[in-house]
Structure formats: C-alpha cells, structure tokens
Amino acid sequence: MRKLQEWDARSVAEVIESRGETTVVLPREYLFPVAQYLATEPSLKFSFLSDIATVDRFPLEPRFEVNYQLLAIDLALRLRLKVKLAGNDPVIRSVFPIWPNADWHERENFDLFGIRFEGHPNLRRILLPDEWEGHPLRKDYPTEGFR
C-alpha cells in the first residue's frame, strides 16, 4: 500500500502481507479519511465494501479489531482495513457516507459486539429484539444469557 503511505504516512500503523492478502492497520481517527481516499482515488477505486467483521480479543487490550473487506472490482484487488478499539471505548466513525451498504454491516456489529458507529443514520439492533440485554458475541457474555 505504497500509494496510501505516500498519501499520508501517519494513516498507516502497520501493513501485514500474509498468504496473498494485504491488511492495513489504521489508527481509529484515520479510518474515515483513508476509506474516502481508497474509494475515490482513480488509480485504486475500492468501490465495494464486502464485509465488516469484528474480532473480540478479550481479555487483551485493545480488545476489539474491526475489519473492513474492500474490493476494487475493476482492478481485481482486495484489501482489508483493520482498526483496533479499546474495550472501554468501542466507538468508530461510520463509513456509511462512503459505502451505503455499510448500513446493515455496522448495525450487525453494533448488535452482536456493541461497536458504536458514530454518524450512522439508524444505529439500532438488526438481529436481536430491541429489549435484548448485552451483546452476545462478546467473549465475556454469559453463555446462558443474563439472569
């Protein structure tokens, strides 16, 4: 991701190449500007967000890793963006304005992990009932639910 590092070197905390896949680890505050750059840069054009997946690393800190799977369809390129979030502050800016299909992905991660996406137009549960307590894919969630 030489182009991204040339655009703003501070936006890239780490680049991981493994098994033919590239992962760019970003500081939380750079997610939105990097996503905007990748989606609009004519030579890259990562125009499709295929998934957002959260990993709970409990009891480690930073606890959460939010992974964004991107595609540049015309170039047949894939890229993963990874942002690490502290367990006591799982908040990140929504990428909905860049990729509108982030809507349901962000709602799912909110519902199951409790990740809050600032600026999301309708951040509410998508799979579980509104009255559900907690976020069941967190590693510290009771296996039999809250009693």
Side-chain angles (χ1 to χ4, degrees):
M1 284 284 33
R2 189 181 78 255
K3 269 188 155 311
L4 184 55
Q5 290 172 317
E6 289 170 1
W7 173 70
D8 187 344
R10 297 169 302 163
S11 68
V12 178
E14 182 181 7
V15 176
I16 303 165
E17 298 280 347
S18 177
R19 300 179 183 183
E21 295 182 352
T22 302
T23 301
V24 178
V25 182
L26 309 171
R28 171 176 37 190
E29 63 273 14
Y30 284 97
L31 172 66
F32 193 84
V34 165
Q36 203 161 36
Y37 171 75
L38 291 172
T40 59
E41 169 58 36
S43 64
L44 296 173
K45 221 42 170 159
F46 282 95
S47 58
F48 186 69
L49 170 71
S50 64
D51 194 21
I52 301 174
T54 298
V55 177
D56 185 353
R57 299 279 185 204
F58 180 80
L60 302 176
E61 279 294 337
R63 178 177 178 170
F64 298 106
E65 294 177 356
V66 183
N67 296 278
Y68 297 78
Q69 305 290 341
L70 307 178
L71 296 174
I73 296 169
D74 294 344
L75 303 173
L77 292 176
R78 294 177 181 267
L79 178 65
R80 177 184 301 113
L81 301 179
K82 179 184 291 190
V83 179
K84 298 178 180 181
L85 302 175
N88 65 349
D89 188 24
V91 179
I92 194 163
R93 188 164 172 195
S94 173
V95 294
F96 175 83
I98 299 166
W99 298 294
N101 69 316
D103 181 11
W104 286 16
H105 295 297
E106 290 179 348
R107 287 181 58 195
E108 178 184 28
N109 283 272
F110 165 72
D111 196 4
L112 300 176
F113 288 97
I115 307 298
R116 292 186 314 278
F117 295 88
E118 287 182 332
H120 188 282
N122 188 22
L123 192 61
R124 59 186 173 88
R125 292 197 181 274
I126 190 170
L127 298 171
L128 300 169
D130 290 337
E131 63 275 2
W132 192 275
E133 289 185 37
H135 306 282
L137 290 187
R138 286 186 173 199
K139 287 189 176 177
D140 58 352
Y141 188 82
T143 56
E144 295 180 16
F146 291 109
R147 300 205 179 258

